[in-house]
Amino acid sequence: MNKTENIFNETVKTLTEDAMSLQQKFHKLQEDNNVKGSIDCLRLLKDTLSLIKEYDWHLEYSEYKVDGRKQVSVWEQNHCGDIKNHKTWNVYDGDDKSINRWYEIFDEAISSGQSFISHNGNNYRASGKSYTLAKLCYEYNGIVVYKNASSVFGIENADHEIGISNKFVPYKLGDKYLNEFCNKIVFIDENSGLTDTEIDTIKKKHIVIGFM
């Protein structure tokens, strides 16, 4: 481990310890009905969590061409630019929707026990996105979660095309209603109506796969 990497790891460790300490302090202030102190502490906790998210490992995605062939890469990267778990897939052309970049990326994430949300799905129209979500949801016995009902039309159409039936669950009661779907993988399609905060809440108990 080089000096820079050691400093980076120590920074994340210190920030994590600070966040835990602030969380305990926040609960104590609430118990004491110290409203102003609670708000100030919550702001500090939010800033600390944002720093952890910035400095800790996060997923990166890139699509490019090598010798005329499209490829997609996914890797984990930290604030220092260090990279680990780099994986590359060839992008298949043709009519077989069951073999596409989304299927391979999402299936790899699920196999690794990680969530994967693509925020640029709108840039890849007609690339088999809903088809892939329907197929993987059925294969892994997952659930499709949504707030905007129109967002599930693509997956429903794919279900009919493939000849399968997935379970669709409206997001209405926060994360509590998902208790009956313990250990289920959650799939969301673009324009689901779910916010980043709501998705992060679901991620605490479930692998979440899909598009924003």
Side-chain angles (χ1 to χ4, degrees):
M1 181 181 295
N2 58 46
K3 184 176 180 180
T4 301
E5 185 177 357
N6 185 60
I7 293 174
F8 166 78
N9 289 336
E10 287 298 321
T11 299
V12 173
K13 180 180 178 181
T14 300
L15 288 170
T16 302
E17 291 173 350
D18 288 345
M20 294 176 64
S21 177
L22 285 169
Q23 186 178 40
Q24 293 175 356
K25 183 179 179 181
F26 173 71
H27 290 312
K28 182 64 169 59
L29 288 168
Q30 281 190 314
E31 291 174 358
D32 294 339
N33 293 319
N34 187 335
V35 178
K36 184 181 184 302
S38 296
I39 293 174
D40 291 340
C41 185
L42 188 59
R43 286 172 177 166
L44 286 173
L45 178 58
K46 181 179 179 181
D47 291 341
T48 303
L49 291 174
S50 296
L51 284 171
I52 292 173
K53 185 176 181 180
E54 178 182 351
Y55 282 94
D56 209 355
W57 294 96
H58 57 276
L59 285 173
E60 293 284 348
Y61 165 90
S62 177
E63 183 173 344
Y64 50 89
K65 284 187 177 181
V66 176
D67 296 329
R69 171 178 290 181
K70 291 183 180 179
Q71 289 188 334
V72 170
S73 289
V74 176
W75 66 93
E76 292 181 71
Q77 184 171 326
N78 63 24
H79 184 71
C80 296
D82 300 318
I83 292 173
K84 66 179 181 179
N85 297 329
H86 185 276
K87 300 181 184 298
T88 300
W89 298 271
N90 292 321
V91 178
Y92 296 92
D93 294 318
D95 297 326
D96 187 357
K97 294 180 182 178
S98 67
I99 304 176
N100 61 54
R101 63 180 178 273
W102 300 120
Y103 186 95
E104 292 192 339
I105 291 172
F106 290 156
D107 191 46
E108 178 68 24
I110 293 171
S111 298
S112 302
Q114 297 187 37
S115 295
F116 192 103
I117 301 295
S118 173
H119 287 75
N120 58 354
N122 287 322
N123 296 330
Y124 301 97
R125 293 295 184 185
S127 60
K129 299 193 301 295
S130 296
Y131 183 98
T132 293
L133 294 176
K135 195 169 188 297
L136 285 171
C137 185
Y138 182 77
E139 290 176 355
Y140 284 97
N141 191 28
I143 56 175
V144 179
V145 175
Y146 65 94
K147 287 176 69 176
N148 177 14
S150 64
S151 70
V152 304
F153 291 162
I155 297 178
E156 286 180 330
N157 290 335
D159 279 1
H160 294 152
E161 181 181 345
I162 303 171
I164 59 178
S165 179
N166 282 305
K167 185 170 184 60
F168 296 84
V169 180
Y171 188 92
K172 294 181 179 178
L173 304 175
D175 65 325
K176 294 180 180 179
Y177 81 106
L178 287 178
N179 288 338
E180 65 176 289
F181 302 107
C182 182
N183 299 322
K184 292 284 188 180
I185 297 173
V186 170
F187 294 84
I188 60 172
D189 209 346
E190 58 190 8
N191 303 317
S192 67
L194 290 163
T195 65
D196 286 332
T197 299
E198 289 168 336
I199 291 174
D200 287 340
T201 297
I202 298 174
K203 282 181 180 179
K204 293 177 182 178
K205 299 180 181 179
H206 303 266
I207 294 174
V208 183
I209 299 294
F211 302 93
M212 285 290 288

